[in-house]
Protein backbone atom coordinates (compact mmCIF):
# COMPACT_ATOMS: atom_id res chain seq x y z
CA UNK A 1 0.00 0.00 0.00
CA UNK A 2 1.35 3.49 -0.81
CA UNK A 3 2.74 5.27 2.25
CA UNK A 4 0.07 7.97 2.10
CA UNK A 5 -2.60 5.52 1.00
CA UNK A 6 -5.65 7.45 2.18
CA UNK A 7 -4.47 10.73 0.69
CA UNK A 8 -3.50 9.04 -2.59
CA UNK A 9 -6.91 7.48 -3.09
CA UNK A 10 -9.41 9.83 -1.49
CA UNK A 11 -12.06 11.53 -3.60
CA UNK A 12 -13.39 13.45 -0.59
CA UNK A 13 -13.73 17.18 -1.34
CA UNK A 14 -15.27 18.20 1.96
CA UNK A 15 -13.34 21.14 3.41
CA UNK A 16 -11.58 20.92 6.76
CA UNK A 17 -9.99 17.46 6.38
CA UNK A 18 -6.60 18.85 7.29
CA UNK A 19 -6.54 22.05 9.34
CA UNK A 20 -3.31 23.71 10.44
CA UNK A 21 -3.90 26.71 12.68
CA UNK A 22 -6.46 28.80 10.80
CA UNK A 23 -6.15 27.27 7.30
CA UNK A 24 -7.70 24.04 6.11
CA UNK A 25 -7.97 21.91 2.96
CA UNK A 26 -9.92 18.89 1.74
CA UNK A 27 -8.15 15.62 0.96
CA UNK A 28 -8.38 16.24 -2.78
CA UNK A 29 -7.15 19.82 -2.45
CA UNK A 30 -4.15 18.73 -0.38
CA UNK A 31 -3.23 16.05 -2.91
CA UNK A 32 -3.50 18.46 -5.85
CA UNK A 33 -1.55 21.24 -4.08
CA UNK A 34 1.19 18.81 -3.05
CA UNK A 35 1.28 17.31 -6.57
CA UNK A 36 2.13 20.78 -7.91
CA UNK A 37 5.10 20.88 -5.51
CA UNK A 38 6.07 17.35 -6.59
CA UNK A 39 5.97 18.37 -10.28
CA UNK A 40 8.79 20.85 -9.56
CA UNK A 41 10.84 18.27 -7.69
CA UNK A 42 11.30 15.79 -10.53
CA UNK A 43 14.77 14.25 -10.30
CA UNK A 44 15.42 15.70 -6.83
CA UNK A 45 16.64 12.99 -4.43
CA UNK A 46 16.64 14.96 -1.18
CA UNK A 47 14.51 17.95 -0.34
CA UNK A 48 14.80 19.99 2.85
CA UNK A 49 11.71 21.64 4.33
CA UNK A 50 11.72 24.55 6.77
CA UNK A 51 9.25 22.91 9.11
CA UNK A 52 7.18 25.75 10.54
CA UNK A 53 3.88 24.82 12.18
CA UNK A 54 1.97 25.85 9.05
CA UNK A 55 0.00 24.28 6.21
CA UNK A 56 2.97 24.97 3.89
CA UNK A 57 4.98 22.39 5.81
CA UNK A 58 2.34 19.70 5.34
CA UNK A 59 2.13 20.51 1.61
CA UNK A 60 5.93 20.59 1.25
CA UNK A 61 6.44 17.26 3.04
CA UNK A 62 3.68 15.57 1.04
CA UNK A 63 5.03 17.11 -2.18
CA UNK A 64 8.48 15.70 -1.42
CA UNK A 65 7.07 12.26 -0.64
CA UNK A 66 4.88 12.22 -3.77
CA UNK A 67 7.97 13.09 -5.82
CA UNK A 68 9.79 10.12 -4.30
CA UNK A 69 12.40 12.33 -2.63
CA UNK A 70 13.76 11.91 0.90
CA UNK A 71 12.36 14.74 3.01
CA UNK A 72 14.68 16.51 5.47
CA UNK A 73 12.76 18.70 7.95
CA UNK A 74 14.71 21.68 9.33
CA UNK A 75 13.61 23.26 12.63
CA UNK A 76 12.37 26.73 11.69
CA UNK A 77 14.23 28.40 14.55
CA UNK A 78 17.50 26.54 13.97
CA UNK A 79 20.34 28.99 14.10
CA UNK A 80 22.82 29.17 11.21
CA UNK A 81 25.18 26.62 12.75
CA UNK A 82 22.52 23.92 13.02
CA UNK A 83 20.73 24.76 9.75
CA UNK A 84 23.93 24.76 7.69
CA UNK A 85 24.98 21.44 9.21
CA UNK A 86 21.64 19.79 8.34
CA UNK A 87 21.64 21.14 4.79
CA UNK A 88 25.25 20.24 4.11
CA UNK A 89 25.18 16.82 5.76
CA UNK A 90 21.92 15.75 4.12
CA UNK A 91 22.95 16.92 0.67
CA UNK A 92 19.51 18.49 0.17
CA UNK A 93 19.24 19.87 -3.35
CA UNK A 94 16.31 22.21 -2.64
CA UNK A 95 15.00 23.94 0.51
CA UNK A 96 11.22 24.37 0.50
CA UNK A 97 9.93 27.00 2.85
CA UNK A 98 9.32 30.64 3.53
CA UNK A 99 11.86 33.15 2.29
CA UNK A 100 14.09 34.41 5.08
CA UNK A 101 15.23 30.98 6.21
CA UNK A 102 18.04 30.84 3.65
CA UNK A 103 21.22 28.97 4.47
CA UNK A 104 24.07 31.31 5.37
CA UNK A 105 26.44 28.95 3.60
CA UNK A 106 26.59 30.27 -0.01
CA UNK A 107 26.92 26.71 -1.30
CA UNK A 108 23.55 25.83 0.32
CA UNK A 109 20.55 24.75 -1.77
CA UNK A 110 18.22 27.24 -3.46
CA UNK A 111 15.17 28.27 -1.40
CA UNK A 112 11.86 27.60 -3.16
CA UNK A 113 8.68 28.99 -1.58
CA UNK A 114 5.62 26.73 -1.30
CA UNK A 115 2.68 28.10 -3.26
CA UNK A 116 -0.64 27.05 -1.74
CA UNK A 117 -2.59 28.38 -4.73
CA UNK A 118 -1.19 26.01 -7.36
CA UNK A 119 -2.86 22.68 -8.28
CA UNK A 120 -1.77 19.69 -10.38
CA UNK A 121 -3.40 16.41 -11.34
CA UNK A 122 -0.15 14.61 -12.16
CA UNK A 123 -0.09 11.09 -10.79
CA UNK A 124 3.24 10.46 -9.09
CA UNK A 125 3.95 6.71 -8.80
CA UNK A 126 4.85 5.45 -5.34
CA UNK A 127 8.55 4.52 -4.99
CA UNK A 128 9.62 1.14 -3.60
CA UNK A 129 8.99 0.62 0.13
CA UNK A 130 12.72 0.54 0.87
CA UNK A 131 13.13 4.09 -0.53
CA UNK A 132 13.92 6.72 2.10
CA UNK A 133 10.93 8.73 3.29
CA UNK A 134 12.58 10.99 5.85
CA UNK A 135 15.97 11.98 7.17
CA UNK A 136 15.38 13.33 10.69
CA UNK A 137 18.22 15.06 12.52
CA UNK A 138 18.59 14.14 16.16
CA UNK A 139 21.13 14.79 18.89
CA UNK A 140 23.65 12.33 20.23
CA UNK A 141 25.66 12.76 23.41
CA UNK A 142 28.42 14.61 21.57
CA UNK A 143 28.87 16.55 18.37
CA UNK A 144 26.42 17.79 15.78
CA UNK A 145 23.03 16.11 15.22
CA UNK A 146 23.01 12.93 13.12
CA UNK A 147 20.69 12.20 10.19
CA UNK A 148 18.38 9.27 10.93
CA UNK A 149 17.38 7.57 7.65
CA UNK A 150 13.82 6.23 7.75
CA UNK A 151 12.36 4.16 4.93
CA UNK A 152 8.78 4.36 3.68
CA UNK A 153 8.35 0.80 4.87
CA UNK A 154 9.37 1.67 8.45
CA UNK A 155 7.03 4.68 8.60
CA UNK A 156 4.13 2.64 7.20
CA UNK A 157 4.80 -0.23 9.64
CA UNK A 158 4.81 2.19 12.58
CA UNK A 159 1.55 3.87 11.58
CA UNK A 160 -0.19 0.54 10.90
CA UNK A 161 0.91 -0.73 14.30
CA UNK A 162 -0.49 2.38 15.97
CA UNK A 163 -3.76 2.09 14.03
CA UNK A 164 -4.11 -1.39 15.48
CA UNK A 165 -3.14 -0.43 19.06
CA UNK A 166 -5.21 2.74 19.24
CA UNK A 167 -8.15 1.71 17.00
CA UNK A 168 -7.22 4.79 14.95
CA UNK A 169 -9.66 5.09 12.01
CA UNK A 170 -11.10 7.62 9.53
CA UNK A 171 -13.77 8.38 12.15
CA UNK A 172 -11.13 10.08 14.29
CA UNK A 173 -10.21 13.73 14.37
CA UNK A 174 -6.66 14.12 15.63
CA UNK A 175 -5.72 17.27 17.56
CA UNK A 176 -2.21 18.37 18.52
CA UNK A 177 0.14 21.33 18.25
CA UNK A 178 3.51 19.59 18.18
CA UNK A 179 6.48 20.78 16.13
CA UNK A 180 6.57 19.33 12.62
CA UNK A 181 10.23 18.33 12.47
CA UNK A 182 10.21 15.29 14.79
CA UNK A 183 8.65 11.85 14.90
CA UNK A 184 5.86 12.82 17.25
CA UNK A 185 4.43 15.83 15.41
CA UNK A 186 5.39 14.88 11.84
CA UNK A 187 5.32 11.09 11.52
CA UNK A 188 2.50 10.34 13.94
CA UNK A 189 0.83 13.75 13.85
CA UNK A 190 0.77 14.38 10.07
CA UNK A 191 1.66 11.23 8.14
CA UNK A 192 -0.63 9.25 10.49
CA UNK A 193 -3.81 11.02 9.34
CA UNK A 194 -2.64 10.99 5.70
CA UNK A 195 -2.18 7.21 5.77
CA UNK A 196 -5.08 6.27 8.03
CA UNK A 197 -7.67 8.81 6.91
CA UNK A 198 -8.43 10.52 10.20
CA UNK A 199 -8.95 14.25 10.00
CA UNK A 200 -6.29 16.50 11.55
CA UNK A 201 -6.47 19.77 13.44
CA UNK A 202 -2.99 21.10 14.20
CA UNK A 203 -3.54 23.99 16.59
CA UNK A 204 -0.35 25.90 15.70
CA UNK A 205 1.19 25.86 19.17
CA UNK A 206 0.47 23.26 21.85
CA UNK A 207 -1.31 25.65 24.21
CA UNK A 208 -3.81 24.04 26.60
CA UNK A 209 -6.66 26.39 25.67
CA UNK A 210 -6.21 25.53 21.99
CA UNK A 211 -6.49 21.81 22.77
CA UNK A 212 -9.65 22.56 24.76
CA UNK A 213 -11.23 24.45 21.87
CA UNK A 214 -10.50 21.90 19.16
CA UNK A 215 -13.16 19.18 19.66
CA UNK A 216 -11.11 16.17 18.59
CA UNK A 217 -11.51 12.47 19.26
CA UNK A 218 -7.78 11.75 19.56
CA UNK A 219 -5.22 14.04 21.24
CA UNK A 220 -1.40 13.82 21.17
CA UNK A 221 0.92 15.58 23.61
CA UNK A 222 4.28 15.41 25.34
CA UNK A 223 4.19 15.22 29.17
CA UNK A 224 4.87 18.97 29.56
CA UNK A 225 1.69 19.68 27.60
CA UNK A 226 -0.34 17.13 29.58
CA UNK A 227 0.95 18.55 32.83
CA UNK A 228 -0.07 22.08 31.79
CA UNK A 229 -3.53 20.74 30.84
CA UNK A 230 -3.87 18.87 34.15
CA UNK A 231 -3.08 22.14 35.95
CA UNK A 232 -6.03 23.86 34.27
CA UNK A 233 -9.23 22.02 35.30
CA UNK A 234 -11.53 23.85 32.87
CA UNK A 235 -9.28 22.94 29.94
CA UNK A 236 -8.90 19.35 31.11
CA UNK A 237 -12.68 18.91 31.51
CA UNK A 238 -13.16 20.10 27.91
CA UNK A 239 -11.35 16.93 26.78
CA UNK A 240 -13.95 14.61 28.36
CA UNK A 241 -15.80 13.95 25.05
CA UNK A 242 -12.57 12.74 23.38
CA UNK A 243 -12.01 9.05 22.63
CA UNK A 244 -8.30 8.77 23.44
CA UNK A 245 -5.54 10.90 24.96
CA UNK A 246 -1.99 9.79 24.08
CA UNK A 247 1.30 10.81 25.70
CA UNK A 248 4.85 10.17 24.57
CA UNK A 249 8.39 11.46 23.92
CA UNK A 250 9.21 11.51 27.66
CA UNK A 251 7.95 9.91 30.86
CA UNK A 252 4.48 10.98 31.97
CA UNK A 253 4.56 11.67 35.73
CA UNK A 254 2.10 9.49 37.67
CA UNK A 255 0.61 12.60 39.29
CA UNK A 256 -0.26 13.98 35.85
CA UNK A 257 -1.76 10.63 34.80
CA UNK A 258 -3.90 10.66 37.97
CA UNK A 259 -4.90 14.31 37.62
CA UNK A 260 -5.99 13.80 34.02
CA UNK A 261 -7.94 10.65 34.89
CA UNK A 262 -9.88 12.58 37.53
CA UNK A 263 -10.58 15.63 35.36
CA UNK A 264 -11.06 14.12 31.91
CA UNK A 265 -12.29 10.63 32.77
CA UNK A 266 -9.52 9.24 30.54
CA UNK A 267 -6.60 7.06 31.46
CA UNK A 268 -3.90 8.38 29.15
CA UNK A 269 -2.41 5.89 26.68
CA UNK A 270 1.36 6.07 27.02
CA UNK A 271 3.67 4.97 24.25
CA UNK A 272 7.44 4.85 23.87
CA UNK A 273 9.68 5.43 20.89
CA UNK A 274 12.74 7.05 19.43
CA UNK A 275 13.62 8.83 16.22
CA UNK A 276 15.73 5.79 15.25
CA UNK A 277 13.10 3.16 16.02
CA UNK A 278 9.84 5.07 15.59
CA UNK A 279 7.20 3.96 18.10
CA UNK A 280 7.91 0.49 19.44
CA UNK A 281 5.91 0.02 22.65
CA UNK A 282 2.45 1.23 23.60
CA UNK A 283 -0.61 0.70 25.76
CA UNK A 284 -3.72 -0.23 23.77
CA UNK A 285 -7.02 1.58 23.41
CA UNK A 286 -8.86 -1.69 24.05
CA UNK A 287 -6.73 -2.68 27.05
CA UNK A 288 -5.68 -1.34 30.44
CA UNK A 289 -3.60 1.83 30.85
CA UNK A 290 -1.41 1.95 33.94
CA UNK A 291 0.44 4.98 35.28
CA UNK A 292 4.21 4.82 34.85
CA UNK A 293 4.22 2.07 32.21
CA UNK A 294 4.40 2.24 28.43
CA UNK A 295 2.63 -1.00 27.54
CA UNK A 296 3.51 -3.80 25.15
CA UNK A 297 5.56 -4.09 21.94
CA UNK A 298 3.64 -3.01 18.85
CA UNK A 299 2.94 -5.46 16.01
CA UNK A 300 6.15 -6.33 14.16
CA UNK A 301 8.43 -5.17 17.03
CA UNK A 302 10.47 -7.33 19.43
CA UNK A 303 12.09 -6.07 22.63
CA UNK A 304 14.52 -7.40 25.24
CA UNK A 305 16.23 -5.96 28.32
CA UNK A 306 19.91 -6.80 28.71
CA UNK A 307 22.36 -6.43 31.58
CA UNK A 308 25.92 -5.10 31.25
CA UNK A 309 27.31 -8.56 30.44
CA UNK A 310 24.89 -8.93 27.54
CA UNK A 311 22.51 -11.38 29.25
CA UNK A 312 18.74 -10.94 29.26
CA UNK A 313 17.45 -9.84 32.69
CA UNK A 314 14.46 -11.67 34.22
CA UNK A 315 11.07 -10.35 33.14
CA UNK A 316 9.93 -9.79 36.71
CA UNK A 317 9.15 -6.07 36.55
CA UNK A 318 12.10 -5.36 38.85
CA UNK A 319 15.34 -6.28 37.09
CA UNK A 320 16.63 -3.35 35.05
CA UNK A 321 18.82 -3.22 32.01
CA UNK A 322 19.17 -1.62 28.60
CA UNK A 323 16.10 -1.87 26.40
CA UNK A 324 16.97 -3.24 22.97
CA UNK A 325 14.56 -3.42 20.04
CA UNK A 326 14.33 -4.81 16.52
CA UNK A 327 11.63 -5.06 13.90
CA UNK A 328 9.86 -3.42 11.01
CA UNK A 329 9.88 0.16 12.34
CA UNK A 330 13.64 0.56 12.67
CA UNK A 331 15.73 3.11 10.77
CA UNK A 332 18.20 2.20 8.02
CA UNK A 333 21.18 3.88 9.69
CA UNK A 334 22.76 7.25 10.46
CA UNK A 335 23.61 9.17 7.30
CA UNK A 336 27.39 9.17 6.63
CA UNK A 337 28.03 7.74 10.11
CA UNK A 338 28.89 4.03 9.87
CA UNK A 339 30.81 4.37 13.16
CA UNK A 340 27.77 5.61 15.08
CA UNK A 341 25.65 3.05 13.30
CA UNK A 342 27.83 0.14 14.34
CA UNK A 343 27.95 1.42 17.94
CA UNK A 344 24.15 1.62 18.10
CA UNK A 345 23.59 -2.08 17.34
CA UNK A 346 24.52 -5.33 19.07
CA UNK A 347 26.47 -8.00 17.14
CA UNK A 348 23.23 -9.98 16.77
CA UNK A 349 21.43 -7.01 15.20
CA UNK A 350 19.36 -5.39 17.95
CA UNK A 351 19.21 -1.60 18.33
CA UNK A 352 20.53 -0.30 21.64
CA UNK A 353 18.09 2.36 22.81
CA UNK A 354 20.24 3.62 25.71
CA UNK A 355 17.09 3.62 27.83
CA UNK A 356 16.96 1.65 31.07
CA UNK A 357 13.79 -0.40 31.41
CA UNK A 358 12.06 -3.31 33.13
CA UNK A 359 9.65 -5.84 31.63
CA UNK A 360 7.02 -7.38 33.88
CA UNK A 361 5.77 -10.98 33.86
CA UNK A 362 2.76 -9.72 31.87
CA UNK A 363 5.08 -8.19 29.25
CA UNK A 364 4.43 -4.60 30.31
CA UNK A 365 7.39 -2.24 29.87
CA UNK A 366 8.46 0.47 32.28
CA UNK A 367 11.06 3.06 31.23
CA UNK A 368 13.22 3.81 34.25
CA UNK A 369 15.63 6.39 32.84
CA UNK A 370 18.54 6.79 30.48
CA UNK A 371 21.91 5.08 30.72
CA UNK A 372 23.86 8.21 29.68
CA UNK A 373 23.52 11.58 31.43
CA UNK A 374 24.57 13.43 28.28
CA UNK A 375 21.24 13.06 26.50
CA UNK A 376 18.70 15.47 27.96
CA UNK A 377 14.91 15.39 27.47
CA UNK A 378 13.38 18.80 28.01
CA UNK A 379 9.75 19.40 27.10
CA UNK A 380 9.96 16.20 25.02
CA UNK A 381 12.88 17.53 22.96
CA UNK A 382 16.05 15.41 22.86
CA UNK A 383 19.08 17.62 23.40
CA UNK A 384 22.72 16.49 23.35
CA UNK A 385 24.83 18.00 26.11
CA UNK A 386 27.86 17.99 23.83
CA UNK A 387 26.23 20.09 21.14
CA UNK A 388 25.24 22.77 23.66
CA UNK A 389 28.72 22.68 25.23
CA UNK A 390 30.30 23.15 21.79
CA UNK A 391 28.00 26.13 21.14
CA UNK A 392 28.92 27.70 24.51
CA UNK A 393 32.64 27.16 23.93
CA UNK A 394 32.35 29.13 20.67
CA UNK A 395 31.66 32.24 22.82
CA UNK A 396 34.91 34.12 23.47
CA UNK A 397 34.03 34.61 27.15
CA UNK A 398 33.62 30.89 27.87
CA UNK A 399 36.63 28.89 29.05
CA UNK A 400 34.93 25.66 30.11
CA UNK A 401 31.36 24.40 29.97
CA UNK A 402 29.46 21.36 31.26
CA UNK A 403 25.79 20.93 30.35
CA UNK A 404 23.36 18.70 32.22
CA UNK A 405 19.60 18.14 32.52
CA UNK A 406 18.34 19.00 36.00
CA UNK A 407 14.90 17.88 37.18
CA UNK A 408 12.21 20.46 36.35
CA UNK A 409 8.52 20.32 37.32
CA UNK A 410 7.20 21.55 33.95
CA UNK A 411 9.81 20.40 31.42
CA UNK A 412 10.87 17.11 33.02
CA UNK A 413 14.46 18.19 32.68
CA UNK A 414 15.87 21.67 32.30
CA UNK A 415 19.02 22.32 30.24
CA UNK A 416 21.48 23.78 32.75
CA UNK A 417 25.00 24.94 31.90
CA UNK A 418 27.86 25.21 34.37
CA UNK A 419 30.32 27.68 32.89
CA UNK A 420 33.80 28.91 33.79
CA UNK A 421 33.86 32.28 32.09
CA UNK A 422 35.67 35.57 31.67
CA UNK A 423 33.26 38.36 32.58
CA UNK A 424 30.22 36.96 30.71
CA UNK A 425 26.62 37.29 31.94
CA UNK A 426 24.19 34.37 32.14
CA UNK A 427 21.59 35.96 29.85
CA UNK A 428 24.21 36.76 27.23
CA UNK A 429 25.16 33.07 27.02
CA UNK A 430 21.53 31.91 26.85
CA UNK A 431 20.89 34.32 23.96
CA UNK A 432 24.12 33.24 22.28
CA UNK A 433 23.12 29.56 22.22
CA UNK A 434 19.55 30.43 21.14
CA UNK A 435 20.99 32.32 18.16
CA UNK A 436 23.31 29.51 17.02
CA UNK A 437 21.20 26.42 17.67
CA UNK A 438 17.44 25.77 17.80
CA UNK A 439 15.95 27.95 20.52
CA UNK A 440 14.71 24.93 22.51
CA UNK A 441 18.33 23.80 22.95
CA UNK A 442 19.31 26.95 24.85
CA UNK A 443 20.13 26.51 28.55
CA UNK A 444 17.24 27.75 30.66
CA UNK A 445 19.80 28.39 33.38
CA UNK A 446 23.53 29.20 33.34
CA UNK A 447 25.52 28.86 36.57
CA UNK A 448 28.88 30.63 36.57
CA UNK A 449 31.43 28.64 38.58
CA UNK A 450 35.15 28.99 39.37
CA UNK A 451 36.00 25.51 38.12
CA UNK A 452 34.46 22.20 37.04
CA UNK A 453 34.99 19.00 39.06
CA UNK A 454 37.42 16.74 37.21
CA UNK A 455 38.95 13.32 37.86
CA UNK A 456 42.67 12.52 37.83
CA UNK A 457 42.52 12.16 34.04
CA UNK A 458 41.09 15.68 33.75
CA UNK A 459 37.64 14.45 32.64
CA UNK A 460 34.68 16.49 33.91
CA UNK A 461 32.71 14.62 36.60
CA UNK A 462 29.17 15.79 35.90
CA UNK A 463 27.74 13.75 38.76
CA UNK A 464 29.71 15.96 41.20
CA UNK A 465 28.11 19.18 39.94
CA UNK A 466 25.66 20.78 42.40
CA UNK A 467 22.05 19.39 42.23
CA UNK A 468 22.94 16.70 39.65
C1 LIG B 1 12.34 31.63 24.28
N1 LIG B 1 12.07 31.98 23.04
C2 LIG B 1 13.16 32.57 22.53
C3 LIG B 1 14.16 32.53 23.53
N2 LIG B 1 13.62 31.96 24.59
N3 LIG B 1 13.43 33.11 21.34
C4 LIG B 1 14.65 33.61 21.12
N4 LIG B 1 15.65 33.61 22.04
C5 LIG B 1 15.45 33.08 23.25
N5 LIG B 1 16.45 33.09 24.13
C6 LIG B 1 10.77 31.79 22.37
C7 LIG B 1 10.62 30.53 21.55
O1 LIG B 1 11.09 30.69 20.24
C8 LIG B 1 9.11 30.36 21.54
O2 LIG B 1 8.51 31.27 20.66
C9 LIG B 1 8.75 30.77 22.93
O3 LIG B 1 9.79 31.65 23.38
C10 LIG B 1 8.60 29.61 23.89
O4 LIG B 1 9.75 28.81 23.80
P1 LIG B 1 9.74 27.25 24.12
O5 LIG B 1 11.11 26.88 24.51
O6 LIG B 1 9.09 26.47 23.01
O7 LIG B 1 8.80 27.21 25.37
P2 LIG B 1 7.84 26.30 26.08
O8 LIG B 1 6.50 26.85 26.01
O9 LIG B 1 8.41 26.15 27.45
O10 LIG B 1 7.85 24.86 25.34
C11 LIG B 1 7.25 23.77 25.90
C12 LIG B 1 6.71 22.86 24.83
C13 LIG B 1 7.82 22.56 23.81
C14 LIG B 1 6.26 21.58 25.49
C15 LIG B 1 5.54 23.50 24.13
O11 LIG B 1 8.97 22.12 24.50
C16 LIG B 1 7.45 21.56 22.76
O12 LIG B 1 6.78 21.88 21.77
N6 LIG B 1 7.86 20.30 22.93
C17 LIG B 1 7.58 19.20 22.00
C18 LIG B 1 8.84 18.50 21.61
C19 LIG B 1 8.57 17.32 20.71
O13 LIG B 1 7.72 17.33 19.81
N7 LIG B 1 9.29 16.23 20.90
C20 LIG B 1 9.11 14.99 20.15
C21 LIG B 1 10.44 14.41 19.73
S1 LIG B 1 10.14 12.89 18.85
P3 LIG B 1 7.14 30.98 19.88
O14 LIG B 1 6.91 32.20 19.08
O15 LIG B 1 7.39 29.76 19.06
O16 LIG B 1 6.12 30.77 20.97
C22 LIG B 1 10.31 11.70 20.04
C23 LIG B 1 9.92 10.31 19.70
C24 LIG B 1 8.71 10.02 20.47
O17 LIG B 1 10.63 11.98 21.14
O18 LIG B 1 8.69 9.08 21.26
O19 LIG B 1 7.78 10.79 20.28
P1 LIG C 1 13.88 11.26 20.36
O1 LIG C 1 15.12 10.85 19.80
O2 LIG C 1 13.66 12.71 20.43
O3 LIG C 1 12.98 10.55 19.55
O4 LIG C 1 13.79 10.75 21.85
C1 LIG C 1 13.72 9.39 22.18
C2 LIG C 1 13.80 9.23 23.66
O5 LIG C 1 12.63 9.77 24.28
C3 LIG C 1 13.83 7.80 24.13
O6 LIG C 1 15.12 7.24 24.01
C4 LIG C 1 13.36 7.94 25.56
O7 LIG C 1 14.44 8.31 26.39
C5 LIG C 1 12.37 9.08 25.48
N1 LIG C 1 10.96 8.64 25.48
C6 LIG C 1 10.10 8.56 24.46
N2 LIG C 1 8.89 8.14 24.87
C7 LIG C 1 8.99 7.93 26.20
C8 LIG C 1 8.08 7.49 27.23
N3 LIG C 1 6.80 7.21 26.96
N4 LIG C 1 8.56 7.38 28.49
C9 LIG C 1 9.84 7.67 28.78
N5 LIG C 1 10.73 8.11 27.87
C10 LIG C 1 10.31 8.23 26.60
Amino acid sequence: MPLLSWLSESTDERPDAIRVDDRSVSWVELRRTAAAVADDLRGVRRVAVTATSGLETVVAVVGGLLAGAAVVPVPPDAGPRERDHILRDSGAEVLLGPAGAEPTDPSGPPVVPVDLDRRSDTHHPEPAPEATALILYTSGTTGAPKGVVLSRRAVAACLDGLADAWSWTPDDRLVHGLPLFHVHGLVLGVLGPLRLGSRLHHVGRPRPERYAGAAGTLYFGVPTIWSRIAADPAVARALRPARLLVSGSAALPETVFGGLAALTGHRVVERYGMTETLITVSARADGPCRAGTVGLPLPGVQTRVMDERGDAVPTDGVAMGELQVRGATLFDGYLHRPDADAASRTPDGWFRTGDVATIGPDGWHRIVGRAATDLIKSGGYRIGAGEVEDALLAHPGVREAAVVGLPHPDLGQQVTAFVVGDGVRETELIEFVARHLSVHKRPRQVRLVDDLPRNAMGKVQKKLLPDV
Side-chain angles (χ1 to χ4, degrees), residues 138 249-251 270-275 294 355 370 377 382:
T138 193
S249 305
E270 212 182 333
R271 93 302 178 286
Y272 160 85
M274 287 185 80
T275 308
V294 293
D355 288 308
R370 279 205 68 83
K377 265 271 156 163
R382 168 165 147 187

Side-chain angles (χ1 to χ4, degrees), residues 389-442:
E389 286 159 5
D390 289 348
L392 283 165
L393 287 168
H395 189 288
V398 173
R399 273 192 280 143
E400 297 171 42
V403 169
V404 293
L406 294 186
H408 188 273
D410 178 45
L411 297 166
Q413 286 186 305
Q414 167 184 269
V415 180
T416 303
F418 291 84
V419 169
V420 181
D422 287 321
V424 280
R425 282 176 304 113
E426 290 91 331
T427 48
E428 185 185 338
L429 293 179
I430 294 171
E431 289 302 326
F432 183 77
V433 176
R435 269 202 311 280
H436 286 81
L437 303 178
S438 294
V439 173
H440 66 258
K441 294 182 179 174
R442 74 196 183 279

Side-chain angles (χ1 to χ4, degrees), residues 77 178-179 182-185 205-207 222 224-225 228 248-249 271-275 279 377-381 410-411 430-431 434 439-440 442 444:
D77 65 349
L178 293 159
H182 281 312
V183 164
H184 202 162
R205 292 272 305 162
R207 301 225 164 87
V222 297
T224 300
I225 298 168
R228 292 177 185 180
S249 305
R271 93 302 178 286
Y272 160 85
M274 287 185 80
T275 308
I279 309 306
K377 265 271 156 163
S378 185
Y381 283 118
D410 178 45
L411 297 166
I430 294 171
E431 289 302 326
V439 173
H440 66 258
R442 74 196 183 279
R444 305 272 175 145

Side-chain angles (χ1 to χ4, degrees), residues 104-176:
T104 44
D105 182 347
S107 62
V111 180
V112 176
V114 176
D115 185 349
L116 293 181
D117 294 326
R118 286 176 58 210
R119 301 284 183 274
S120 159
D121 287 312
T122 310
H123 171 71
H124 293 271
E126 175 82 6
E130 57 273 17
T132 302
L134 297 166
I135 304 174
L136 299 182
Y137 277 78
T138 193
S139 300
T141 51
T142 56
K146 298 190 286 287
V148 171
V149 179
L150 290 160
S151 68
R152 292 174 173 251
R153 178 185 282 134
V155 172
C158 169
L159 296 173
D160 293 348
L162 295 178
D164 177 72
W166 301 343
S167 309
W168 186 358
T169 73
D171 292 335
D172 278 308
R173 185 161 190 265
L174 171 65
V175 172
H176 71 91

